[in-house]
Amino acid sequence: MLRTIATIITVAAATLAFPLKAEVIAITGGQVHTLGEAGVLEDATVLIRDGRIEAVGQDVSIPNDARRIDAEGRPVTPGIIDAHGQIGLVEVSAVSGSNDGAVSGRAFTAAFDVADAINPASALIPINRVEGITRAVVAPGHGGGGSLIAGQGAIIDLGNGYDTLTRQGAAMYASLGETGAQLSGGSRAAAMLHLREALQDAQDYQDNRADYERRERREYALGRLDLDALGPVLEGEMPLIINAHRASDIRAALRLATDFDLQLVIRGGAEAWKVAEELAAVDVPVLIDPLQNLPGNFESLGSTLENAARLHEDGVRFAFATGDSHNARNITQAAGNAVAHGLPHEAAMAAIMSVPADIWSIEDRVGRLESGLEADLVIWDGDPLDVTSYPDHVFIRGAEMPMETRHTRLRDRYLEVHDLTLPLAYPR
């Protein structure tokens, strides 16, 4: 057992040595999907220097010391951003010791910050990374007796090291609809009542902090840390992500955002297409699962595979998010299904690359292949949205990632067994 543990530690240490170094890389001859104003460039070059994109185009001058990678006409795209999930926060869903996604027993946990629990050594990170995901939004959950205000999410990169945090305190998460009702005594109205009470208390606390410190203010429903945590939400500096599916629940969230002048994002949105014009009018983006087709409960009776196409037609900003941390890698297949149901191909690409960067305000770092941005990019062996396509190369912050996971190691370990005189665990 001790030998096994030592082997695991040694392998982990070697794997976590982040290969950041000053390097010039020229990816030549690619079909470059910039996801920016330049559009798609055939036979183009992406030049990377010291972790950033230095130039993109068809007449880029390549330095003599550059390492060349010939894309041979294959697609080159920005890295995929998983707009909602729990990568690094949940390892085995059914094992509580490896699950740090939610806090139970309290109505409000606004101060709960997932960044303190993210595990950069999670086996899920390389599994999703080799399929093109380079950044992920890690969100607190509401399930299992969680909180109405669940806490703060973070954005991480899926690089091969410990310094993976892109942004701490990226958003505040709350829930309406059936989940909100379950956490508030059984009624949607109670969930909205509690949410408004929390925001009113936080606003009063912000306006009368000195009186609060002198114990000259009324009792609040939230503790001091939670009141402090809601300050950036009320100032419009931190988006409030509300989980809602039913059209009426989305409308309730829109009213709440108007009343408190909040920066709102809808997560779920199975019936978002029913309120598309209202969402577009106030530019509230939606995080949707493009594969949500069947009504799993009464709040998602309007689920349809055409949700994305209809939102696109009405001018709503949306990003794709499966919410499945273990298989977030399937998001390209989900986006391909949205294309099969009416969404333009480039809009589907944008929904997993540039739009989530815009929604999460990291467009000045990633999401497009443009000069000055961090070099998160992928070279594919075919159409990225085709179920049979896979990445050949993945770069995060300019570092080329190993295309190895626990899955591939197990495959290689047992692919060929020559010595059958010993149990399968021993021959090597």
Side-chain angles (χ1 to χ4, degrees):
M1 176 62 76
L2 290 176
R3 181 181 177 185
T4 301
I5 294 174
T7 302
I8 293 173
I9 293 174
T10 302
V11 171
T15 302
L16 291 170
F18 195 26
L20 272 181
K21 59 182 180 181
E23 186 178 19
V24 182
I25 303 170
I27 300 169
T28 62
Q31 181 191 61
V32 178
H33 296 251
T34 68
L35 275 295
E37 293 182 356
V40 181
L41 304 173
E42 300 290 346
D43 194 19
T45 295
V46 180
L47 186 64
I48 302 170
R49 184 186 294 275
D50 300 339
R52 291 187 179 274
I53 298 171
E54 183 170 279
V56 180
Q58 294 164 318
D59 55 355
V60 173
S61 177
I62 301 175
N64 292 331
D65 63 342
R67 177 163 70 94
R68 291 176 178 252
I69 299 175
D70 187 355
E72 300 177 318
R74 292 169 292 173
V76 181
T77 74
I80 293 170
I81 301 172
D82 179 22
H84 178 88
Q86 295 190 313
I87 295 175
L89 200 59
V90 175
E91 196 72 17
V92 181
S93 303
V95 178
S96 60
S98 69
N99 189 334
D100 294 295
V103 179
S104 59
R106 294 176 55 191
F108 306 111
T109 54
F112 173 60
D113 186 344
V114 301
D116 296 324
I118 293 172
N119 176 19
S122 166
L124 302 185
I125 288 179
I127 288 172
N128 285 288
R129 181 176 64 210
V130 298
E131 304 244 13
I133 296 178
T134 57
R135 306 268 169 162
V137 178
V138 183
H142 300 276
S147 304
L148 183 64
I149 297 181
Q152 303 166 54
I155 305 172
I156 62 171
D157 71 54
L158 272 58
N160 204 9
Y162 288 110
D163 182 20
T164 61
L165 198 60
T166 300
R167 177 173 298 162
Q168 187 171 0
M172 185 69 68
Y173 288 79
S175 194
L176 293 177
E178 292 186 9
T179 301
Q182 291 167 4
L183 296 171
S184 306
S187 170
R188 286 174 162 80
M192 180 58 77
L193 177 66
H194 293 322
L195 201 50
R196 285 182 176 276
E197 180 186 30
L199 293 171
Q200 289 170 356
D201 280 1
Q203 186 63 68
D204 191 82
Y205 169 77
Q206 301 296 326
D207 295 341
N208 302 280
R209 188 185 297 252
D211 289 344
Y212 176 87
E213 298 293 344
R214 291 194 296 269
R215 299 179 182 272
E216 295 177 355
R217 208 65 191 164
R218 64 175 171 82
E219 292 290 327
Y220 295 132
L222 295 80
R224 180 179 59 80
L225 294 178
D226 291 330
L227 293 167
D228 276 328
L230 287 173
V233 177
L234 292 166
E235 293 296 325
E237 299 170 352
M238 178 186 291
L240 176 65
I241 316 300
I242 289 186
N243 184 57
H245 285 283
R246 200 170 73 180
S248 63
D249 293 327
I250 296 173
R251 288 194 176 98
L254 291 175
R255 290 195 295 273
L256 181 76
T258 299
D259 292 346
F260 287 91
D261 194 19
L262 304 175
Q263 183 184 346
L264 177 67
V265 177
I266 298 294
R267 188 256 161 180
E271 295 187 349
W273 61 273
K274 291 185 176 181
V275 292
E277 292 184 1
E278 296 159 68
L279 290 164
V282 292
D283 192 25
V284 168
V286 187
L287 311 178
I288 62 172
D289 178 359
L291 288 181
Q292 186 162 5
N293 186 35
L294 300 175
N297 45 41
F298 279 95
E299 67 180 354
S300 57
L301 292 176
S303 297
T304 170
L305 291 173
E306 295 180 356
N307 195 6
R310 295 175 184 178
L311 292 175
H312 175 72
E313 187 175 346
D314 284 324
V316 179
R317 286 196 298 154
F318 61 89
F320 292 149
T322 66
D324 184 350
S325 303
H326 294 76
N327 290 302
R329 55 190 175 148
N330 292 335
I331 197 169
T332 52
Q333 177 185 353
N337 274 265
V339 174
H341 289 82
L343 184 69
H345 187 278
E346 283 301 302
M349 297 271 282
I352 57 176
M353 297 171 188
S354 58
V355 175
D358 296 338
I359 292 174
W360 293 104
S361 299
I362 53 174
E363 72 278 8
D364 59 340
R365 299 183 62 173
V366 293
R368 294 173 176 82
L369 297 184
E370 294 179 338
S371 175
L373 300 187
E374 295 176 14
D376 284 16
L377 61 87
V378 182
I379 304 174
W380 303 82
D381 65 2
D383 181 348
L385 305 188
D386 190 296
V387 70
T388 61
S389 297
Y390 295 95
D392 284 332
H393 302 267
V394 176
F395 292 83
I396 298 178
R397 291 191 285 154
E400 186 166 7
M401 296 291 107
M403 302 301 284
E404 182 184 64
T405 70
R406 182 173 184 273
H407 292 175
T408 62
R409 290 195 297 272
L410 285 171
R411 176 202 64 193
D412 296 341
R413 171 70 178 82
Y414 294 105
L415 187 62
E416 294 184 11
V417 179
H418 301 291
D419 186 355
L420 297 179
T421 61
L422 294 171
L424 290 179
Y426 293 98
R428 294 181 181 278

